[in-house]
Amino acid sequence: MTVLPITVAILVAGGTYLLCQPGLVRIVFGITLLSHGANLVLLASGVSAWRGEPLTGTGDPSDAGDPLPMAFVLTAIVITLAVTVFMLALARIGHDDDTPHMPDTGENHRT
Amino acid sequence: MTLMWLLVALAIVPVAVVPLTGAMGRRAGWPLAVAFLALAAAMIPSAREVLDGGEITQTIAWLPALDVNLALRLDGLGLVFVMIALIIGAAVFLYSVEYLDEGRQLGFYLWMTAFAFGMVGLVLADDLIVLFACWEITSLASFLLIARSGSGAESASARTLFMTFVGGLTLLIAVVLTIVATGTTSVSQALTSDVWSDRPAFAAVVAVLVAVAGFTKAAQFPFHPWLPDAMAAATPVSAYLHAAAVVKAGIYLMLRFSEAFSDVLVWNVLLISVGLFTAAMAALFAFQQHDLKRLMAYSTVSQLGLITAAIGVGTDKALTAAVLHTIAHALFKSGLFMMVGVIDHSAGTRDFRRLPELRRVMPWSFATVILGTAGMAGIPPLLGFVGKETILGSMLEAPGPEWVGMLALVAAAAGSVLTVAYSAKIVLGSFVDGERAKVCHGPSARLFLPAAAPIWAGLPLGLAVGVLDLPVERAVQAMGGAEAYHLKLWHGLAPELLATVAAVAIGAALMTQRRALYRVIERPLLPGTGADALERTFAGATEVGRRIARSVAADHPRRHVVPPLMVLTLLLGLGSIAILTSGDVPATQPDLWRPIDIGLLVLIALGVAGTCLADSRIAATVSLGGVGIAVTVQLFALGAPDVGLTQLMVEVLTVLVIMMVLRKLPSRFGSSRLRRPGALVVLAGGVGLAAGLGTWLLTGRREKSAPADYYVSEGTTVTGGDNLVNVILVEFRALDTLGELAVLGLAGVAIVAVLATIPARTLDPPDKPRNLPLRPVSTLADPLAQAALSDPQSNLRAMQLLLRVLVPVLGVLSAAIFWRGHNEPGGGFIAALVGSAAVALVFLSRSDHRTVGSPRVHLALIGGGVLTALATGLLGFADSSFLQPLYGYVAGTKLSTSLLFDVGVYAAVLGLVLVAIDRLGGAPPEVPAEHPVDQEGAT
């Protein structure tokens, strides 16, 4: 019995639901949820049985969590921030964040 | 001077052009001409060695893993082309100083010198990969040179690029086939390989591919339209590109590969037939033109056709002729192009119908143009005559029965008649036939001399053509030629002389009736031009592309997202079930969960449900923030304090940015547009289930990993830092972090770039936002709420007071977190996010929507951060490799250069957040009169 996979399932299901909505803001929210889920999967790969902080000199080294997935997740969080902020910047164009309705970007391409 | 240094010097020149043009403007042409002449002079010792029968090679390992070397070789053939590129280049630069308008002219000099680099690299390359790379450099540089010549040149440059890239592709295929078949990337070894004689069919395929590549650059039918098209470029560009460089790159390629293909029948037939056809066709087109420069362009195509045909014949005499005429053509054509510029400058037009009678005003130009066109028409005793004679004579040596050679000679002679005619048209049209009345000034010497010099050089070289004997012979030998063909001005009464005499006589006879002839010929012979045909091809291809794009258009992300998600779900779900039923699954580790996980699970589930179901944007945002906080606690509970801290700060900033964006958007999502919500719920459930199943099955079933053990036991010893996550980020896996910084920085730059390109009326349309019901503040029941909302500025006072204390505290905190990151939870990321939070608070407390620092500072922070991290990485080379940290002791503390790396991280993160706040936090949409408020806020 373990709990993390259920948390992951809920985050991924919610993320997928939002990702497929029309409207960029909801898509961004979906991506945020998905990345929470993905981060937990990464941490679960380090085996959640050992939960000591990976700081040398604190606690029992044999109980320390795997620092490598943590480093990955930290990187992932910051990249999520970058992607989220960029997509939010796109959502602010015009009055609406409708995805089916393209804003006029002033470029003279036919779409 | 070694070959490598020549290339290095030529690579430095374009870099030097930037400050040079900044300081001297268009006069930068003078030092550049001197530099090119100096480089040519520096090559004299090498040239002497080559003329003595040697060859110079130099090899530097470039991609040892792929066996690609930066191999250079100078032989007789290369020497001819290097000298053409450098000396004609110098003349063109001298000319440009006077020809170009006042101003910096950075683009012109930059791409011209880059072009010369590519051309010399192409000629010196002894490695097929290097050869191909240089070929593409010349394509790109010529595109850029044409494209910068004003709006009319845009489509012309695109067509040029398209044509030359077609040739680039066939060359690439040919190069790859050659490397695979011969097993070497060396040009000299590949060309002398037995493969060509052992596998004739293969040789024929590669020969056709190389020929097509050569045709595209040398403007041979049907790839010729780009060259007259490219006349949109400035005259010095034309003079260099179309007389000495681009087109000569095509000729060089065909000459170089003729060593392998001169006995391949397809090669002979293709080159001779296309060359001669192009020569005659382009001569006719040239004769039709009103525009002096377009006439020159077609005449270039025609002359190159003759050279191509000679290469196709492939005998020693024919190759001698090709090399000689390449030299002759480079001289007279570059000069004639520049003379066109001289005429244009003096008369203000290049149109025969408007050109005045210039011979009295510009007698020297008159003489020079006569000399140049005489060379082009093949009149003795000029160098052009010798070249053309030899080409005509070599036609008789064409492979096959005797009548083939005769036919080739007659075809070439027919082209020559037209050549004589258009050459005469140049002289008569611009100097004799015009009206006398118009007033115009003669050219300045500084403009005239560089233009005239290459033309006048053809006279002594023609009289004493013997001096070219040795260089040309060495060039022919470099192509595998055995017996030298000696160059002479006078060959006796050979068939080619008769052909020349006949051509000149018929041409002259035609020109006596020129007025009648012009009336007949100066109208379109064909319904459309090559450029039109190419434009139609473009339009057709674009339409096909548009149709394909329509089926995958980006207006519904679902279209792209759903299929991969379904595949992933099936793979993961069915795969997990398959593994489970096989029964071979290790037991899970005991103690995988703690009670707190269940509580967090409930919170996360509630939050996710709220985010998904809320129709109000604010409610969804609050729910999302709730999920974020619960996940953060979960991260702490998993023993990852660094990750948890980062997540917390990111959560705060994300919500802040979301709120800034939401101000501009409708208050509700309006979920009615979704067509099949039921199917989506099933899909989402399926994906979630598969992800959960996979996570349960594939994690938590092993002992501690070896890397984990390594980091825990050795990490601190190696790096001196106690915080293992931080030392992984900045030392063990710093390359990952560097990549991440680049993503971060680019996101910031992209935000600035995208929003800057969108016009304001699109970004913030003047009409009222839809779906935002507003009513006046005065209708609010609560007087306190009314007062607070009608004067929002006063609400900021408390925060402004608080920040006086809070900002210094946050600053100190940020510094402390940064410093302690090596040993305790913290580090560059978290510290930067704390700093960003301070900046965000300052922004929120201001009433005028100004952010901290100017946009320039924000981008400088991003760029500086990434550069600092990169520079730290380069420091690592002092020890062993990129990003290798260096250690030192300062006052007893072990310090690492990774601390500097972390500074880069800090700056880039802060820069991104500043950009986001600056670009997204601008003034809210205009508030209608009477301070209306959002209805939701009031009720």
Side-chain angles (χ1 to χ4, degrees), chain B residues 185-325:
Chain B
T185 63
S186 156
V187 175
S188 41
Q189 285 171 25
L191 291 180
T192 49
S193 162
D194 294 333
V195 169
W196 311 116
S197 49
D198 292 350
R199 295 164 60 187
F202 175 77
V205 169
V206 180
V208 171
L209 290 170
V210 171
V212 169
F215 288 173
T216 56
K217 275 263 160 95
Q220 296 299 292
F221 179 84
F223 304 104
H224 64 280
W226 74 259
L227 201 148
D229 221 14
M231 283 308 118
T235 297
V237 174
S238 308
Y240 192 50
L241 262 62
H242 305 147
V246 174
V247 296
K248 293 297 159 72
I251 296 295
Y252 170 78
L253 187 80
M254 291 191 277
L255 282 170
R256 179 57 82 194
F257 276 78
S258 73
E259 181 169 9
F261 298 140
S262 58
D263 294 327
V264 177
L265 190 62
V266 182
W267 172 266
N268 304 129
V269 172
L270 196 62
L271 261 62
I272 296 175
S273 57
V274 169
L276 289 178
F277 177 73
T278 310
M281 175 201 73
L284 180 62
F285 287 162
F287 190 52
Q288 281 188 294
Q289 302 306 316
H290 305 296
D291 182 318
L292 190 48
K293 200 168 166 194
R294 281 187 79 82
L295 193 163
M296 287 295 177
Y298 276 112
S299 89
T300 301
V301 176
S302 172
Q303 299 285 329
L304 293 170
L306 273 186
I307 299 177
T308 304
I311 300 171
V313 172
T315 59
D316 289 348
K317 180 177 178 184
L319 292 178
T320 306
V323 173
L324 185 68
H325 202 56

Side-chain angles (χ1 to χ4, degrees), chain A residues 45 51 56 95-96 98 104, chain B residues 597 673 702 716 762 767:
Chain A
S45 75
R51 296 192 177 196
T56 308
H95 287 318
D96 207 336
D98 256 4
D104 164 32
Chain B
D597 293 357
R673 278 194 304 274
R702 59 170 171 80
T716 302
T762 303
D767 53 320

Side-chain angles (χ1 to χ4, degrees), chain B residues 49-334:
Chain B
E49 203 176 323
V50 170
L51 292 182
D52 286 341
E55 64 173 35
I56 300 165
T57 58
Q58 196 172 8
T59 302
I60 292 177
W62 183 16
L63 303 174
L66 296 176
D67 199 24
V68 174
N69 295 314
L70 201 56
L72 303 179
R73 188 168 64 122
L74 183 71
D75 58 11
L77 185 62
L79 184 63
V80 169
F81 282 86
V82 168
M83 286 302 171
I84 290 178
L86 290 178
I87 294 172
I88 303 288
V92 170
F93 281 135
L94 284 179
Y95 176 80
S96 308
V97 171
E98 202 63 24
Y99 182 86
L100 296 174
D101 294 331
E102 285 282 357
R104 192 168 176 199
Q105 302 291 354
L106 172 62
F108 171 79
Y109 286 116
L110 188 63
W111 301 126
M112 284 289 275
T113 49
F115 191 89
F117 167 74
M119 186 67 199
V120 172
L122 172 76
V123 170
L124 292 181
D126 192 31
D127 185 282
L128 287 162
I129 306 287
V130 179
L131 178 105
F132 174 73
C134 291
W135 178 271
E136 294 296 275
I137 292 177
T138 59
S139 292
L140 284 175
S142 55
F143 162 70
L144 291 165
L145 274 172
I146 300 167
R148 67 172 291 282
S149 311
S151 58
E154 269 171 23
S155 56
S157 64
R159 288 192 288 269
T160 304
L161 190 69
F162 178 75
M163 291 276 195
T164 45
F165 271 9
V166 168
L169 278 180
T170 60
L171 182 63
L172 180 63
I173 300 169
V175 160
V176 171
L177 287 176
T178 306
I179 291 173
V180 171
T182 61
T184 173
T185 63
S186 156
V187 175
S188 41
Q189 285 171 25
L191 291 180
T192 49
S193 162
D194 294 333
V195 169
W196 311 116
S197 49
D198 292 350
R199 295 164 60 187
F202 175 77
V205 169
V206 180
V208 171
L209 290 170
V210 171
V212 169
F215 288 173
T216 56
K217 275 263 160 95
Q220 296 299 292
F221 179 84
F223 304 104
H224 64 280
W226 74 259
L227 201 148
D229 221 14
M231 283 308 118
T235 297
V237 174
S238 308
Y240 192 50
L241 262 62
H242 305 147
V246 174
V247 296
K248 293 297 159 72
I251 296 295
Y252 170 78
L253 187 80
M254 291 191 277
L255 282 170
R256 179 57 82 194
F257 276 78
S258 73
E259 181 169 9
F261 298 140
S262 58
D263 294 327
V264 177
L265 190 62
V266 182
W267 172 266
N268 304 129
V269 172
L270 196 62
L271 261 62
I272 296 175
S273 57
V274 169
L276 289 178
F277 177 73
T278 310
M281 175 201 73
L284 180 62
F285 287 162
F287 190 52
Q288 281 188 294
Q289 302 306 316
H290 305 296
D291 182 318
L292 190 48
K293 200 168 166 194
R294 281 187 79 82
L295 193 163
M296 287 295 177
Y298 276 112
S299 89
T300 301
V301 176
S302 172
Q303 299 285 329
L304 293 170
L306 273 186
I307 299 177
T308 304
I311 300 171
V313 172
T315 59
D316 289 348
K317 180 177 178 184
L319 292 178
T320 306
V323 173
L324 185 68
H325 202 56
T326 301
I327 300 171
H329 180 254
L331 290 173
F332 68 66
K333 190 49 67 67
S334 62

Side-chain angles (χ1 to χ4, degrees), chain A residues 1 20 26 43 45 48-49 51 56 62 64 66 75 78 92-99 104 110, chain B residues 546 555 558 592-594 597 614 617 635 637 664 673 702 704 716 722 740 758 761-763 767 770:
Chain A
M1 162 68 200
C20 295
R26 279 190 149 185
L43 285 181
S45 75
S48 57
R51 296 192 177 196
T56 308
S62 68
D66 190 338
T75 308
V78 179
R92 101 170 266 285
I93 300 169
H95 287 318
D96 207 336
D97 63 331
D98 256 4
T99 41
D104 164 32
R110 277 190 287 158
Chain B
R546 186 172 290 131
D555 46 3
R558 246 184 308 168
L592 274 180
W593 65 285
R594 310 286 148 86
D597 293 357
R617 289 176 194 259
L635 295 175
K664 284 204 73 242
R673 278 194 304 274
R702 59 170 171 80
K704 272 196 177 179
T716 302
D722 288 338
E740 174 203 352
I758 297 173
R761 67 182 152 75
T762 303
L763 199 57
D767 53 320
R770 287 180 291 133

Side-chain angles (χ1 to χ4, degrees), chain A residues 1-30 32-34 36-37 39-41 43-58 60-107 109-111, chain B residues 546 555-558 561-562 565 589-594 597-598 601 604-605 608 611-612 614 617 620-621 624 627-628 631 634-635 637-643 646-647 650-651 654 657-658 661 664-666 669 673-674 680-681 684 687-688 691-692 695-696 699-700 702-705 708 711-712 716 722-725 728-729 733 736 740 744 747 750-751 754-755 758-759 761-765 767-770 823 825 829 912 916 919-920:
Chain A
M1 162 68 200
T2 169
V3 178
L4 271 186
I6 307 174
T7 317
V8 168
I10 290 172
L11 285 167
V12 170
T16 307
Y17 178 78
L18 288 173
L19 190 64
C20 295
Q21 299 286 333
L24 197 51
V25 170
R26 279 190 149 185
I27 292 172
V28 173
F29 288 5
T32 311
L33 291 184
L34 279 177
H36 285 322
N39 290 344
L40 289 183
V41 173
L43 285 181
S45 75
V47 185
S48 57
W50 307 291
R51 296 192 177 196
E53 299 181 343
L55 302 171
T56 308
T58 6
D60 179 8
S62 68
D63 188 42
D66 190 338
L68 189 58
M70 294 183 193
F72 288 158
V73 170
L74 207 154
T75 308
I77 290 173
V78 179
I79 289 192
T80 308
L81 172 72
V83 173
T84 310
V85 169
F86 178 65
M87 291 183 75
L88 284 170
L90 296 184
R92 101 170 266 285
I93 300 169
H95 287 318
D96 207 336
D97 63 331
D98 256 4
T99 41
H101 172 249
M102 287 282 202
D104 164 32
T105 54
E107 290 171 59
H109 299 212
R110 277 190 287 158
T111 45
Chain B
R546 186 172 290 131
D555 46 3
H556 289 292
R558 246 184 308 168
V561 169
V562 171
L565 280 180
Q589 287 285 338
D591 200 23
L592 274 180
W593 65 285
R594 310 286 148 86
D597 293 357
I598 295 181
L601 168 65
I604 289 175
V608 169
T611 316
C612 290
R617 289 176 194 259
T621 309
L624 186 76
V627 175
V631 169
Q634 179 71 76
L635 295 175
L638 283 167
D642 286 275
V643 184
T646 312
Q647 182 71 62
V650 164
E651 209 49 52
T654 308
V657 174
I658 292 174
V661 170
K664 284 204 73 242
L665 296 173
F669 285 119
R673 278 194 304 274
L674 201 58
L680 180 54
V681 170
V687 177
T695 311
W696 173 71
T699 66
R702 59 170 171 80
E703 290 305 312
K704 272 196 177 179
S705 66
Y711 288 125
V712 170
T716 302
D722 288 338
N723 182 355
L724 296 174
V725 174
I728 290 175
L729 282 173
R733 302 194 60 87
D736 291 0
E740 174 203 352
L744 205 68
I751 290 173
V754 168
L755 293 186
I758 297 173
R761 67 182 152 75
T762 303
L763 199 57
D764 298 301
D767 53 320
K768 264 204 273 181
R770 287 180 291 133
N823 295 316
F829 279 118
L912 170 71
R919 292 288 141 156
L920 305 178

